[in-house]
């Protein structure tokens, strides 16, 4: 990344009318939360179809809860890093023209202070009843294996969008709106292979937004974006403010 590219990105952030941000596991990698793909990604050691699908949960809810419990315990020890904090600061500076879309379920954006956000894949600190569908915040670590709903006594599941499940309608509507309304989209730390998020840069470009990608490496999206900044999110995102 050249100084000119960084300086162009800074001036775009300063002059944008409306900013939307899409984040993925790479932004939390700098806090020590494992990513999904790449050399040390979770999907190298675990099979998504055994752990992150409705069928897996039906087959073996204990195994699925064991895996989520392990991730909850790991994430509970992590803190937001300068990239999360910079995005919370960007929102504070322009609350009416900022929206954050995250694929991350770790809750670190909220801990950093972000409030105008859609957690489109859910949140690992929320549980949902498989019968009465009530969603509750839950920070117990470890959870009892097979946690039960306090309202109706039935099995709880993580409030996560698993493979094969659709995103929530309200999130999809909000994402479509903020992608079409923004004139700058920042795409930070995502491999850009999981839909619908992988299509978000195209939606923003269709309506004329500039798209800036921040990632350690090139991704399938890099050819489509206007500016691709390579480096760690924790180093680069704070420089944009
Ligand atoms: P991935 O693990 O697929 O991709 C992480 C991306 O972050 C890669 O492109 C890395 O190059 C980049 N990266 C790693 N460290 C970085 C750093 N320090 N700074 C900047 N970039 C860095 O994660 P996602 O794209 O978020 O779904 O994956 C999308 C979805 O797939 C996840 O939400 C998850 C997964 O299956 C669910 O859990 C539902």
């Amino acid at each position: 990344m050249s100084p000119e590219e960084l300086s162009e990105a800074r001036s775009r952030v300063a002059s944008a009318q409306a900013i939307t941000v899409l984040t993925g596991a790479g932004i939390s990698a700098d806090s020590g939360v494992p990513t999904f793909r790449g050399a040390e990604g979770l999907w190298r050691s675990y099979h998504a179809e055994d752990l992150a699908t409705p069928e897996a949960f039906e087959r073996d809810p204990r195994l699925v809860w064991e895996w989520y419990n392990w991730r909850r315990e790991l994430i509970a020890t992590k803190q937001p890093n300068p990239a999360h904090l910079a995005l919370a600061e960007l929102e504070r500076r322009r609350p009416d023209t900022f929206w954050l879309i995250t694929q991350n379920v770790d809750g670190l954006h909220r801990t950093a202070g972000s409030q105008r956000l859609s957690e489109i894949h859910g949140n690992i600190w929320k549980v949902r009843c498989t019968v009465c569908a009530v969603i509750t915040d839950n920070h117990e670590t470890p959870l009892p294996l097979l946690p039960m709903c306090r309202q109706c006594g039935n099995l709880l599941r993580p409030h996560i969008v698993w493979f094969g499940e659709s995103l929530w309608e309200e999130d999809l509507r909000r994402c479509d709106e903020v992608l079409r309304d923004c004139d700058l989209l920042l795409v930070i730390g995502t491999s850009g292979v999981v839909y619908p998020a992988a299509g978000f840069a195209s939606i923003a470009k269709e309506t004329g937004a500039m798209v800036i990608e921040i990632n350690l490496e090139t991704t399938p999206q890099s050819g489509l974006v206007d500016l691709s900044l390579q480096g760690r999110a924790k180093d680069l995102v704070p420089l944009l403010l």
Side-chain angles (χ1 to χ4, degrees), residues 9 42 47 81 83 92 103 139 144 147 152 176 183 187 190 216 241:
L42 290 173
H47 295 292
N81 65 59
R92 269 192 296 275
Q103 299 166 86
H139 284 261
C152 72
D176 197 58
D183 59 339
V187 179
T190 175
L216 269 186
L241 267 68

Coordinates of all heavy atoms in Angstrom, one line a residue, residues 9 42 47 81 83 92 103 139 144 147 152 176 183 187 190 216 241:
A9 N -7.7 7.1 0.8 CA -8.7 6.5 1.6 C -9.1 7.4 2.8 O -10.3 7.6 3.1 CB -8.1 5.2 2.2
L42 N -10.7 -21.9 11.6 CA -11.4 -22.9 12.3 C -11.9 -24.0 11.4 O -11.9 -25.2 11.8 CB -12.7 -22.3 13.0 CG -12.5 -21.4 14.2 CD1 -13.8 -20.7 14.6 CD2 -11.9 -22.2 15.3
H47 N -15.4 -29.5 10.9 CA -16.2 -29.5 9.7 C -17.5 -28.7 10.0 O -18.2 -29.0 10.9 CB -16.6 -31.0 9.4 CG -15.4 -31.8 9.0 ND1 -14.8 -31.6 7.9 CD2 -14.8 -32.8 9.7 CE1 -13.8 -32.4 7.8 NE2 -13.8 -33.2 8.8
N81 N -10.0 -4.4 19.6 CA -8.7 -3.9 19.3 C -8.9 -2.5 18.7 O -10.0 -2.0 18.5 CB -7.9 -4.9 18.4 CG -8.6 -5.0 17.1 OD1 -8.8 -4.1 16.3 ND2 -9.0 -6.3 16.8
A83 N -9.0 -1.4 15.8 CA -9.9 -1.3 14.6 C -11.3 -1.2 15.1 O -12.1 -0.4 14.5 CB -9.6 -2.5 13.7
R92 N -19.5 7.6 16.3 CA -19.8 8.7 17.2 C -19.7 10.1 16.5 O -20.4 11.0 16.8 CB -18.8 8.7 18.4 CG -19.4 7.9 19.6 CD -18.5 8.2 20.8 NE -17.2 7.7 20.7 CZ -16.8 6.5 20.9 NH1 -17.7 5.6 21.3 NH2 -15.5 6.1 20.7
Q103 N -20.3 -9.7 10.1 CA -20.6 -11.1 10.0 C -20.1 -11.8 11.3 O -20.3 -13.0 11.5 CB -19.8 -11.7 8.8 CG -20.2 -11.2 7.5 CD -19.2 -11.6 6.4 OE1 -19.3 -12.6 5.8 NE2 -18.2 -10.7 6.1
H139 N -24.5 -14.7 29.1 CA -23.0 -14.6 29.2 C -22.4 -15.7 30.1 O -21.2 -15.6 30.4 CB -22.6 -13.2 29.7 CG -22.7 -12.2 28.6 ND1 -21.7 -11.7 27.9 CD2 -23.8 -11.5 28.2 CE1 -22.1 -10.8 27.0 NE2 -23.4 -10.7 27.2
P144 N -24.4 -24.9 30.9 CA -24.6 -26.3 31.1 C -24.7 -27.0 29.7 O -25.3 -26.4 28.8 CB -25.9 -26.4 31.9 CG -26.5 -25.0 31.8 CD -25.4 -24.1 31.4
P147 N -28.4 -26.5 27.5 CA -29.1 -25.4 28.2 C -30.6 -25.4 27.9 O -30.9 -25.6 26.7 CB -28.4 -24.1 27.8 CG -27.8 -24.4 26.5 CD -27.5 -25.9 26.5
C152 N -40.0 -21.8 28.8 CA -40.9 -23.0 28.5 C -40.2 -24.3 28.8 O -40.8 -25.4 28.5 CB -41.3 -22.9 27.0 SG -40.1 -23.2 25.8
D176 N -29.7 -3.8 2.7 CA -30.0 -3.3 1.4 C -30.1 -1.8 1.4 O -29.5 -1.1 0.5 CB -31.3 -4.0 0.9 CG -31.4 -3.8 -0.6 OD1 -30.5 -4.3 -1.3 OD2 -32.3 -3.2 -1.1
D183 N -22.2 6.4 0.2 CA -21.4 6.7 -1.0 C -19.9 6.2 -0.7 O -19.1 6.3 -1.5 CB -21.3 8.2 -1.3 CG -20.9 9.1 -0.1 OD1 -21.0 8.6 1.0 OD2 -20.5 10.2 -0.4
V187 N -14.8 -2.4 3.4 CA -14.9 -3.9 3.6 C -13.7 -4.4 4.3 O -12.6 -4.4 3.7 CB -15.1 -4.6 2.2 CG1 -15.2 -6.1 2.3 CG2 -16.3 -4.0 1.4
T190 N -12.7 -9.6 5.6 CA -13.6 -10.7 5.2 C -13.0 -11.4 3.9 O -12.6 -10.7 3.0 CB -15.0 -10.3 5.0 OG1 -15.8 -11.4 4.6 CG2 -15.3 -9.1 4.1
L216 N -5.5 -8.5 4.9 CA -4.1 -8.9 4.9 C -3.7 -9.3 3.5 O -2.5 -9.3 3.2 CB -3.9 -10.1 5.8 CG -3.6 -9.9 7.3 CD1 -3.4 -11.3 8.0 CD2 -2.4 -9.0 7.4
L241 N -9.2 7.6 10.1 CA -10.0 8.6 10.8 C -9.3 10.0 10.8 O -8.0 10.0 11.0 CB -10.3 8.2 12.3 CG -11.6 7.5 12.5 CD1 -11.5 6.1 11.9 CD2 -11.8 7.4 14.0

